[in-house]
Amino acid sequence: MNVNFYATLRQVVGAKSVDFDLTEGASIAQLLEEMLRRYPALRHELLNEQGQLYQHVHIFVNGRDISFLERGMETPLSERDAIGVFPAVGGG
């Protein structure tokens, strides 16, 4: 599955886009586990002390924030899905 990383997360993974080898139907939670396994430094950027996504981190699947998907982190993924991971962004 191809994941696009944005803003400061690109520096952590060293690329704009990364492919992850997961089976069809794997959940967002499984994808997150694989991302953290491959890039341990992402843990500090994405998860709080309880292992939950920071509220300011957004994962989008086909343009929809997972917090608005019925199954949330357990949403099954397809190879065709467009996945994006966004950290908090500020500016003025």
Side-chain angles (χ1 to χ4, degrees):
M1 301 195 174
N2 187 266
V3 178
N4 290 310
F5 292 91
Y6 293 87
T8 56
L9 298 179
R10 288 182 179 173
Q11 296 169 333
V12 175
V13 301
K16 174 182 177 180
S17 179
V18 177
D19 287 318
F20 293 92
D21 188 27
L22 293 172
T23 59
E24 184 83 13
S27 69
I28 295 167
Q30 290 171 308
L31 173 61
L32 181 59
E33 286 176 23
E34 182 60 20
M35 288 190 300
L36 296 175
R37 186 192 67 72
R38 190 181 304 178
Y39 302 103
L42 280 176
R43 181 172 302 280
H44 173 72
E45 302 292 328
L46 303 179
L47 304 180
N48 63 23
E49 294 79 26
Q50 292 77 36
Q52 303 298 314
L53 270 182
Y54 285 119
Q55 289 184 352
H56 60 265
V57 171
H58 298 278
I59 299 176
F60 285 81
V61 177
N62 300 323
R64 296 192 61 208
D65 192 319
I66 63 164
S67 63
F68 297 106
L69 297 177
E70 185 177 330
R71 294 181 63 190
M73 291 292 286
E74 295 308 315
T75 300
L77 297 169
S78 165
E79 285 289 327
R80 299 174 304 281
D81 288 333
I83 303 165
V85 183
F86 295 82
V89 179

